Amino acid sequence: VTPAAPVGLSLRDTVRAADAGSAEALLHATGFFREEEVAIGRELIDETVARGAATGYSFLFADRADGSLAGYACYGPVPLTESSWDLYWIAVDPAEQGRGIGRWLLEECERRIAAAGGDQVWVDTSGRDQYAPTRGFYQSAGYTVAARLADFYAPGDAKVMFVRRLVPDGRIPREG
Ligand SMILES: CC(C)(COP(=O)(O)OP(=O)(O)OC[C@H]1O[C@@H](n2cnc3c(N)ncnc32)[C@H](O)[C@@H]1OP(=O)(O)O)[C@@H](O)C(=O)NCCC(=O)NCCS
């Protein structure tokens, strides 16, 4: 069952050329992504517009009634694994963080991953203090820290790898 949408938002999984600019602006506005990361986030959309599903990237966009973007997520199967999937990006407009949009997008990604036969969702994040709310977000959604790679991104900036195991039939038990 698709989780209920936050008021005023609708979910879209088709990628449009205009999403590249909207996503770039949104990633930039969060203040969480370096310029190179923003550029890569944009490129993934441009590439998906050009090549379609062959890229291996799937997107979920949370659209406002006026068509503007409140948040989005990008995910896909991890190449050369049997059933591991990566959540590559998730971002919510800072003006609307904390009202359940991120959780809604994440749960819908998980539902679709499970329906496609995925049984683990992996997500990398940073160990920096700025990312404490992000880590709290994943933890509250049932993710656990699988590994912490010290100094991975830069001296003092660890990579923290979270994982959530999904049950095979697509039902995703969650406490609370
Ligand atoms: C991380 C992010 C996607 C979460 O989206 P969001 O819409 O703000 O989160 P939600 O409102 O859906 O929060 C869901 C749950 O996460 C937890 N959570 C959210 N913000 C939190 C915070 N600042 N501290 C601790 N837990 C937090 C809460 O438990 C919340 O549940 P609750 O509503 O019952 O309290 C969003 O804040 C964001 O875009 N952050 C900047 C970019 C980023 O860090 N992206 C991930 C890169 S790896």
Side-chain angles (χ1 to χ4, degrees), residues 83-147:
S83 47
S84 291
W85 287 59
D86 262 330
L87 179 73
Y88 295 112
W89 304 85
I90 185 164
V92 171
D93 184 333
E96 302 210 49
Q97 289 176 6
R99 55 171 292 228
I101 299 170
R103 173 68 70 88
W104 176 54
L105 286 169
L106 184 62
E107 287 187 1
E108 185 59 18
C109 287
E110 291 170 346
R111 199 186 66 77
R112 289 172 185 233
I113 290 168
D119 64 4
Q120 300 168 44
V121 184
W122 289 86
V123 50
D124 293 349
T125 190
S126 161
R128 274 160 50 210
D129 287 349
Q130 184 193 2
Y131 282 82
T134 304
R135 297 192 298 273
F137 168 74
Y138 292 124
Q139 264 151 351
S140 86
Y143 286 71
T144 54
V145 175

Side-chain angles (χ1 to χ4, degrees), residues 125-129 135 145-152 156-162:
T125 190
S126 161
R128 274 160 50 210
D129 287 349
R135 297 192 298 273
V145 175
R148 191 173 188 285
L149 312 184
D151 303 318
F152 182 88
D157 186 358
K159 168 149 97 174
V160 182
M161 304 175 75
F162 284 92

Side-chain angles (χ1 to χ4, degrees), residues 12-35:
R12 169 170 58 88
D13 61 10
T14 53
V15 186
R16 303 175 184 150
D19 293 325
S22 317
E24 181 177 28
L26 195 151
L27 292 175
H28 185 77
T30 64
F32 272 70
F33 301 98
R34 297 191 312 274
E35 284 314 307

